[in-house]
Amino acid sequence: MYKQIYPVIGDEKNLPFYVVGLGLESWQFPIKRADGYEYPQIFLSRSGEGEVIINGETTKIPPDTVFYIPPLCPHEYHALSDAWYLDWIAFSGSQVIPLLEQWKLNKFTAIQGVDMDRLRRIITRIYYTLKSDKLYGNHYASAQLYDFLIEYRKIADNRLSSFYTAQSVALADVLQYIEEHYPEQIKLNELAKIAGVSEQHLCRLFKKNFQLRPMEYLAQVRVQHAKDLLVYSNKTIGEISDETGFQDGSYFSVVFKRYENMTPGEYRRIKKLLSK
């Protein structure tokens, strides 16, 4: 059964969060807002199917999808099935946009396959709080709205965390491979294949996490192992170069100096003197 409420806003404008409007089980008629809407909105797709158009891009909205439209964002949405039912909430407050910006959630987002039971319970509670208390309802609803936003953030974070977890697993496999095979001649395309991503994407992952390209990271691992051999073995610099994957002694010296600001021979002499 369709329910909606638009509370009268007075001193609630001083609150960090307050509800502007709310609807439950709304049959969704077509909406087109060339200049956007003044307030941020979150929608819960209950049943049926619709689509949202933002900046010329169309996003399908099946059931169990939560989507957010930021304020003043030109948009339109309409049903694709005979009946598309939504819960929705529009809100404002001095801390709303700063909070969403801090959470990196102040942009159009649609998250499918969501267990929305808790979101629905909170938004229903907000409705009845506003309905039953005309004097202080929006003040009480302010705290409930904050709960709603936190729950929305959790859903968004879970969606993102699954993506980043996959990226972390891919990186971990590559790092383990490098540690186990650094003496061998490793190529970038081999590492990308292990990660299951393109060479370009692997480079982006390394840049983001280590501020290095994959082959630079490999060189640092080789240098680190070379440092141990220089200090704790009597092997020649040529032997250490071969054992750590550099093969060419001159190239080994160039790379070592790039990272340690001294040659392998100088490093060995200094460490030997310090250990006496």
Side-chain angles (χ1 to χ4, degrees), residues 41-262:
Q41 305 168 88
I42 293 177
F43 301 81
L44 314 179
S45 181
R46 297 178 67 99
S47 61
E49 187 176 48
E51 64 182 13
V52 180
I53 303 171
I54 306 279
N55 296 324
E57 295 189 6
T58 300
T59 302
K60 294 283 181 66
I61 308 293
D64 297 323
T65 297
V66 56
F67 62 99
Y68 169 77
I69 299 179
L72 306 178
C73 172
H75 64 270
E76 58 182 288
Y77 49 90
H78 55 264
L80 294 177
S81 57
D82 290 340
W84 185 32
Y85 288 93
L86 303 174
D87 296 335
W88 60 271
I89 185 167
F91 48 94
S92 189
S94 60
Q95 295 303 309
V96 162
I97 298 303
L99 187 70
L100 291 171
E101 291 284 359
Q102 179 185 330
W103 291 347
K104 297 181 173 58
L105 293 177
N106 189 36
K107 59 185 178 182
F108 171 71
T109 306
I111 308 170
Q112 298 182 7
V114 173
D115 180 356
M116 294 192 293
D117 285 348
R118 178 160 169 76
L119 280 176
R120 285 173 177 160
R121 285 199 299 272
I122 298 173
I123 198 172
T124 301
R125 190 183 311 133
I126 293 172
Y127 171 81
Y128 284 109
T129 297
L130 295 170
K131 191 81 172 173
S132 62
D133 191 335
K134 302 297 183 184
L135 187 58
Y136 298 110
N138 217 340
H139 290 77
Y140 287 122
S142 175
Q144 295 166 345
L145 172 60
Y146 183 56
D147 285 345
F148 184 87
L149 293 175
I150 291 174
E151 189 65 21
Y152 172 67
R153 182 193 181 186
K154 284 168 60 180
I155 289 169
D157 283 351
N158 286 339
R159 189 273 312 262
L160 292 172
S161 67
S162 63
F163 169 78
Y164 288 121
T165 297
Q167 305 303 299
S168 298
V169 169
L171 262 184
D173 289 344
V174 171
L175 298 183
Q176 181 179 352
Y177 183 86
I178 287 175
E179 188 60 39
E180 293 174 352
H181 297 272
Y182 68 87
E184 302 170 15
Q185 294 310 297
I186 299 173
K187 296 181 180 179
L188 180 61
N189 63 347
E190 296 172 11
L191 299 179
K193 186 175 181 180
I194 291 165
V197 299
S198 68
E199 294 179 24
Q200 293 81 3
H201 188 60
L202 183 64
C203 289
R204 286 194 292 270
L205 286 176
F206 267 81
K207 272 288 187 181
K208 181 177 180 180
N209 287 275
F210 307 113
Q211 291 74 56
L212 295 168
R213 290 187 289 271
M215 304 314 285
E216 291 172 331
Y217 179 90
L218 171 61
Q220 286 199 358
V221 169
R222 286 171 168 165
V223 166
Q224 188 59 50
H225 283 280
K227 286 163 63 177
D228 291 339
L229 290 171
L230 287 166
V231 174
Y232 300 111
S233 80
N234 293 319
K235 294 179 178 180
T236 67
I237 291 175
E239 289 172 331
I240 292 172
S241 171
D242 288 339
E243 286 191 22
T244 52
F246 287 103
Q247 291 189 321
D248 180 84
S250 298
Y251 178 64
F252 170 47
S253 294
V254 169
V255 174
F256 192 96
K257 189 170 185 179
R258 182 191 308 158
Y259 291 111
E260 299 299 323
N261 295 315
M262 62 183 78

